[in-house]
Amino acid sequence: MTDKSKVFVYPKDVSAFGFDWGRLALTVAPEVNGATRFSGGVVDLPSGKGHTRHNHPGAEEIIFVISGHGEQMVEDEKGNPVVEKVGPGCTIYVPESRFHSTLNTGDGPMQLFVVYSPAGPELVLRELPDFKLLPAGK
């Protein structure tokens, strides 16, 4: 249920998308607090885990590495994969509809903050076979 008064939101306070590779807690989204132009949240990736190559049709994405180390792939305009090692403080821009993937190559957890614009395309993640809705606080 949307609560437009939710302007201060912690990942533990919202339900999360759980997957075999980690979790995504949307802390800003139309269904969380009525955001209309973008959505975003925190991604947690255990060591050795990551999400496979995918895209968000019609949406741009920003990925900010909060903690941990990994390899980020973003395809160039010709569809060639460009892979870089990333760590805390790195911002990754994923152009509209561009394929990308993230792998935690560090010994500990990796945490990211992601932003999608416009909001909505990230909801297709609910259709993945390993999707589980995790209640708030889990």
Side-chain angles (χ1 to χ4, degrees), residues 35-110:
T36 58
R37 293 187 169 95
F38 56 86
S39 60
V42 177
V43 174
D44 292 295
L45 300 171
S47 182
K49 299 288 186 175
H51 57 79
T52 59
R53 178 184 177 273
H54 69 284
N55 73 341
H56 305 281
E60 295 176 293
E61 182 175 358
I62 297 169
I63 303 169
F64 179 79
V65 181
I66 298 170
S67 62
H69 293 86
E71 289 183 354
Q72 180 67 50
M73 185 280 291
V74 179
E75 290 185 354
D76 67 17
E77 58 281 345
K78 295 179 182 174
N80 300 309
V82 177
V83 179
E84 292 282 337
K85 292 190 181 308
V86 297
C90 184
T91 300
I92 300 104
Y93 168 61
V94 182
E96 182 178 336
S97 305
R98 198 76 59 87
F99 282 90
H100 58 285
S101 63
T102 307
L103 175 64
N104 178 351
T105 58
D107 293 335
M110 184 176 195

Side-chain angles (χ1 to χ4, degrees), residues 8-21:
F8 303 102
V9 183
Y10 290 89
K12 67 178 179 54
D13 296 335
V14 295
S15 60
F17 296 6
F19 306 95
D20 293 343
W21 51 262

